[in-house]
Amino acid sequence: MSTQHQVQMQDRYEINPLFLFRWEESQESHVLLYPEGVVKLNQTAATILKHCDGELTVDQFITEIANEFDQTDPEVIAQSVVKFLEASHDKGWIRAKN
Amino acid sequence: MTKAGSELRIDGDGKPIWVSLELTYQCPLKCVFCSNPLDYDSYREGELTTEQWKKVIREAREMGAMQIGFTGGEPTLRKDLEELIGYADDLGFYTNLITSGVGLTVERLQRLKELGLKHIQLGFQSCDEQVANQMAGVESYQRKLSIAKEIKALGFPMVLNVPVTRQNLPQIPDILLLAEELEVEYMELANVQYYNWALVNRDQLLPTRAELEWAEREVNKFRERIGDKMTIFFVIPDYYDGRPKACMNGWGSIHLTIAPDGSALPCSQARTLKDLTFPTVKDHSLKWLWEQSETFMKYRGDKWMKEPCCSCDEREKDFGGCRCQALALTGDAANTDPACSKSPHHHVIQEAISGAEMARELEINQRLIVREAGAVAVELKTEVEA
Ligand code: SF4
Ligand code: SF4
């Protein structure tokens, strides 16, 4: 299943309802739980997924994330965010919201 | 029970991540591939009480477990199923119900939805009613089909779990179409694990390599068409793979099973290891059982390994395979799983394959043995002298 998904800056994403995204104290990290599986997320991944709320568009939340990380130029992080979103989409973690 | 997720390679740092509660071994079905103990009926008395199960759930969560499976037997036979699932959900577990569907009603499903049940794995045999009923040992096809629809109507994520045998393999393309119609998200074409009832019936159940390769091609064709609407798990069984399964991600590594009587097991088959004792949650804390009981210590890590595993560079990958399969087929649980082509006992797997082929060529249509109390002598003979 490598239908490489193309992320557009105006797209909105949300967590696939099959997945449960939450903080897990015992792992001291965010996790994605799904039927019979667990993915432990690093901090960057968790920050991006937190913004997949179905409300913000990709370019909006890139700006927000840039602010959170005190990065004045959103372009610097844009590429890695888009890459991560594409990978997450292909794994089925998130889906585009129309 | 089989894993649908292939991503479970999370290192628990010594914590159990996944807890499987076998609430009961009782079941209205009599599946010919059932992996419950041959003497399942002797567990009828002595099942844990609601409060005892709750203690297990609580302690498992305190130890860091995140996934919990309610399984059996048929877990819906327990009247306290709803109470236990609700309790687990409140504590933050991702709750999975593994069921044959028989015993579920719309009302129970609605209640489970309200209580926070996250996912249902439905055991399914075939889209051909006759084959399905033959494999389940009981007429159950229509019931399963209608409950599958109800599960979807309520919006549960559903894994359709189909154990692949010679009987249903030719129907795989049609089973996939049915799954598409039902809008199933995950389809698991599961390997039958040849323990207990499945081992008794192995000659009749085991598909040939050619059949499996055909099935794989059909699955791939379907995958191409359906895209990411459905995830299909299908792997060539260990018997044909030359390498064993990474059983349970390693003994006592992330997985913990509690049997109906409260025994804590590293995997649901572990009780076949007769040189181990199986202390229960009635007498011990889960923490002690996990961290200190001999049952969990014995094959944890790789110190116990013999040749060829102990000097093999793949041992981090498959942990030497399955202890229970090693015991059942070679007579010693510490041996390399004979599914591995490097195992000196690999010939028993090859013989099983040719045995099944021969049975078919000679058209020895031995009757399938359905799961029934006392149907077979409980001590299965191991196939080679140890
Ligand atoms: S495999 Fe069949 S008989 Fe065995 S517990 Fe599951 S549904 Fe019941
Ligand atoms: S020899 Fe042991 S560790 Fe190596 S591949 Fe075979 S089972 Fe795995």
Side-chain angles (χ1 to χ4, degrees):
Chain A
M1 270 172 306
S2 47
T3 41
Q4 257 295 331
H5 176 77
Q6 296 284 327
V7 167
Q8 307 296 329
M9 284 301 161
Q10 295 311 311
D11 287 345
R12 293 182 169 81
Y13 286 92
E14 63 180 2
I15 306 280
N16 181 338
L18 293 181
F19 289 77
L20 186 68
F21 170 62
R22 68 164 168 78
W23 174 256
E24 171 62 30
E25 192 57 45
S26 66
Q27 296 286 328
E28 291 176 17
S29 65
H30 276 86
V31 291
L32 269 175
L33 298 164
Y34 56 99
E36 301 185 15
V38 184
V39 186
K40 182 172 168 175
L41 300 160
N42 63 27
Q43 208 199 334
T44 323
T47 307
I48 300 174
L49 287 182
K50 257 188 258 173
H51 288 81
C52 295
D53 58 0
E55 300 288 323
L56 295 172
T57 60
V58 175
D59 56 355
Q60 282 169 339
F61 79 64
I62 287 177
T63 315
E64 276 204 18
I65 294 173
N67 287 339
E68 277 175 43
F69 284 88
D70 282 332
Q71 175 59 257
T72 41
D73 184 6
E75 279 307 305
V76 178
I77 61 160
Q79 218 190 348
S80 44
V81 171
V82 167
K83 264 220 187 101
F84 177 80
L85 289 175
E86 284 172 350
S88 305
H89 186 276
D90 289 343
K91 289 193 168 123
W93 298 351
I94 56 172
R95 63 182 193 185
K97 198 177 169 191
N98 327 321
Chain B
M1 194 211 57
T2 24
K3 295 261 117 25
S6 51
E7 296 217 43
L8 203 82
R9 287 242 161 186
I10 171 172
D11 177 8
D13 291 325
K15 301 185 190 88
I17 298 294
W18 172 269
V19 203
S20 199
L21 307 184
E22 299 180 330
L23 296 184
T24 176
Y25 284 142
Q26 299 300 310
C27 182
L29 301 195
K30 307 175 173 192
C31 299
V32 295
F33 51 83
C34 183
S35 61
N36 277 180
L38 296 174
D39 61 346
Y40 69 90
D41 205 45
S42 68
Y43 293 86
R44 191 189 284 267
E45 311 286 322
E47 284 182 8
L48 295 188
T49 63
T50 308
E51 287 315 310
Q52 284 168 327
W53 280 122
K54 282 190 175 171
K55 175 170 166 276
V56 171
I57 295 170
R58 194 166 57 239
E59 291 184 356
R61 186 70 188 118
E62 281 164 9
M63 289 167 74
M66 292 178 263
Q67 289 274 357
I68 195 163
F70 294 86
T71 180
E74 178 47 58
T76 58
L77 289 181
R78 287 277 304 212
K79 298 218 165 46
D80 53 3
L81 179 71
E82 284 82 348
E83 189 176 345
L84 297 176
I85 287 181
Y87 187 71
D89 186 78
D90 287 346
L91 293 179
F93 270 114
Y94 188 94
T95 43
N96 305 271
L97 175 64
I98 295 123
T99 175
S100 70
V102 178
L104 278 174
T105 58
V106 183
E107 293 71 37
R108 284 192 91 178
L109 280 172
Q110 275 163 345
R111 182 81 189 112
L112 287 167
K113 186 82 198 173
E114 286 161 22
L115 288 165
L117 175 63
K118 295 288 180 294
H119 149 237
I120 298 181
Q121 176 181 306
L122 184 70
F124 204 79
Q125 284 74 46
S126 178
C127 54
D128 177 314
E129 180 162 1
Q130 213 192 329
V131 175
N133 290 339
Q134 181 201 15
M135 289 176 71
V138 179
E139 263 190 46
S140 51
Y141 174 76
Q142 293 297 345
R143 179 99 209 90
K144 276 172 185 265
L145 196 59
S146 69
I147 212 69
K149 290 179 187 156
E150 300 294 351
I151 292 170
K152 282 320 297 172
L154 283 167
F156 281 108
M158 176 161 77
V159 173
L160 208 58
N161 183 291
V162 179
V164 176
T165 71
R166 190 199 295 176
Q167 288 70 16
N168 63 8
L169 186 141
Q171 299 119 50
I172 284 180
D174 294 324
I175 297 174
L176 290 169
L177 288 176
L178 178 65
E180 181 182 5
E181 211 182 291
L182 291 169
E183 295 179 33
V184 166
E185 293 88 1
Y186 297 92
M187 172 87 193
E188 179 160 24
L189 294 165
N191 287 322
V192 171
Q193 306 192 350
Y194 291 100
Y195 307 109
N196 296 324
W197 301 92
L199 187 54
V200 172
N201 288 312
R202 187 176 61 188
D203 268 0
Q204 306 297 313
L205 298 177
L206 189 66
T208 64
R209 181 188 294 274
E211 286 169 336
L212 287 162
E213 284 169 355
W214 172 83
E216 193 176 32
R217 283 194 298 277
E218 291 297 320
V219 170
N220 285 337
K221 265 196 256 167
F222 183 83
R223 275 188 183 134
E224 250 169 58
R225 183 171 67 70
I226 194 119
D228 54 15
K229 267 202 295 187
M230 195 193 300
T231 306
I232 306 162
F233 301 99
F234 177 67
V235 286
I236 295 289
D238 59 346
Y239 270 49
Y240 291 105
D241 197 31
R243 284 293 176 272
K245 304 172 266 146
C247 188
M248 296 292 130
N249 234 46
W251 187 269
S253 145
I254 59 165
H255 196 108
L256 171 67
T257 292
I258 308 293
D261 63 350
S263 306
L265 311 174
C267 97
S268 62
Q269 302 308 317
R271 209 192 294 262
T272 53
L273 273 55
K274 294 288 182 242
D275 55 337
L276 290 179
T277 53
F278 299 98
T280 78
V281 296
K282 293 174 184 165
D283 305 316
H284 300 276
S285 72
L286 208 56
K287 193 167 157 58
W288 180 86
L289 290 161
W290 175 261
E291 288 174 358
Q292 297 187 36
S293 71
E294 198 217 341
T295 333
F296 279 83
M297 300 290 280
K298 183 117 188 205
Y299 300 110
R300 193 175 259 154
D302 55 14
K303 301 244 176 347
W304 55 271
M305 282 183 184
K306 300 206 235 168
E307 290 294 353
C309 290
C310 61
S311 56
C312 176
D313 56 12
E314 290 178 65
R315 67 180 188 278
E316 302 270 296
K317 217 163 77 193
D318 61 31
F319 317 101
C322 173
R323 297 306 92 231
C324 310
Q325 181 151 286
L327 176 78
L329 303 184
T330 77
D332 181 352
N335 279 338
T336 297
D337 184 330
C340 182
S341 62
K342 298 183 190 180
S343 155
H345 296 99
H346 187 55
H347 62 92
V348 302
I349 293 287
Q350 289 164 319
E351 282 154 20
I353 292 171
S354 47
E357 271 166 17
M358 206 186 304
R360 181 166 348 185
E361 259 164 45
L362 298 174
E363 290 176 27
I364 305 175
N365 260 331
Q366 201 189 320
R367 199 172 58 90
L368 283 164
I369 297 174
V370 297
R371 179 185 128 133
E372 230 156 350
V376 286
V378 163
E379 290 289 333
L380 262 191
K381 282 238 300 289
T382 55
E383 312 234 326
V384 290
E385 293 81 58

